[in-house]
């Protein structure tokens, strides 16, 4: 991680769970980290906790479903901290709604967060890396749901979005190769991680929430957010000529 010392990283969805854990690990490794989140106050709280560490955490309020928010966040980062070296596309959500009788608004919330927000942030990061001749690293936070189709009918759109994210990882790798870029792209696919995402996503589903889903998740073997943050450090610490394209992490006893 020494080559990233003092460099700038952007982490989306940094207010809790995996995003917060990743931001903390990066700050401890000496990076200047911009944590994007709708709940900026949560990132501010984490930043105070990390005062005195090798790096520093900066909170910036942004909703990744809004392109203008992402563009402003990247402009602030470049103007105040310098070129971007690392992007962690962590922001994600699910909504409980089926394909046969689905709610269009809930479909859009999932796709706008998990796919379009990721695409926009990635575009802006690559643009800045190319302008500044930075051999940076982009990491998509995926899921084992992007590699199979677990039997959760109410999560159909979420599962589809994660499969699409896997395709986006490979197509970006091919695009970067086509221009001879040294920018890396990696995907990390955890199994079930104990974070706030289940409760927050079910709350966002409103009257379409399916309480049985939370119970099903609670019965699953699980990982901790820190486990995934450690995997991010591993991927980032590989030599410049090594690209971890896909890293899948499952808890012992994972049924999928």
């Amino acid at each position: 991680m020494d080559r990233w010392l003092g460099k700038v990283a952007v982490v989306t969805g940094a207010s809790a769970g995996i995003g917060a854990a990743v931001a903390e690990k990066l700050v401890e490794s000496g990076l200047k980290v911009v944590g994007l989140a709708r709940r900026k106050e949560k990132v501010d709280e984490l930043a105070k906790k990390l005062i005195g560490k090798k790096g520093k955490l900066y909170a910036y309020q942004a909703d990744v479903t809004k392109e203008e928010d992402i563009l402003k966040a990247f402009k602030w980062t470049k103007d105040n901290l310098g070129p971007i070296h690392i992007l962690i596309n962590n922001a994600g959500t699910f909504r409980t709604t089926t394909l046969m009788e689905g709610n269009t608004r809930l479909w859009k919330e999932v796709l706008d967060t998990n796919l379009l927000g990721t695409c926009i942030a990635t575009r802006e990061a690559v643009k800045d890396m190319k302008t500044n001749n930075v051999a940076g690293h982009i990491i998509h936070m995926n899921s084992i749901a992007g590699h199979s189709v677990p039997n959760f009918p109410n999560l159909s759109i979420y599962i589809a979005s994660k499969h699409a994210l896997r395709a986006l990882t490979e197509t970006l790798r091919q695009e970067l190769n086509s221009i001879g870029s040294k920018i890396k792209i990696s995907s990390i696919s955890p199994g079930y991680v104990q974070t706030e995402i289940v409760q927050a996503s079910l709350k966002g589903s409103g009257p379409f929430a399916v309480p049985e889903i939370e119970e099903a998740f609670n019965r699953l073997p699980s990982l901790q957010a820190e486990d995934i943050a450690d995997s991010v450090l591993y991927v980032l610490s590989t030599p410049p000529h090594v690209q971890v394209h896909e890293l899948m992490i499952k808890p012992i006893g994972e049924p999928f």
Side-chain angles (χ1 to χ4, degrees), residues 208-227:
F208 303 95
V210 182
E212 292 78 15
I213 287 181
E214 183 174 3
E215 295 175 11
F217 277 123
N218 288 337
R219 289 194 296 269
L220 292 174
S222 62
L223 298 162
Q224 300 298 318
E226 292 74 17
D227 300 326

Side-chain angles (χ1 to χ4, degrees), residues 38-39 41-42 92-97 103 105-106 109-110 154-155 195-215 217:
R38 288 177 296 181
R39 298 182 297 173
E41 68 279 2
K42 292 288 186 181
T93 191
F94 71 79
R95 294 290 184 259
T96 53
T97 182
N103 179 282
R105 175 182 60 81
L106 298 181
E109 287 180 6
V110 173
N154 295 93
L155 301 184
T195 68
E196 298 177 8
I197 188 173
V198 174
Q199 292 79 11
S201 297
L202 287 176
K203 183 179 180 181
S205 298
F208 303 95
V210 182
E212 292 78 15
I213 287 181
E214 183 174 3
E215 295 175 11
F217 277 123

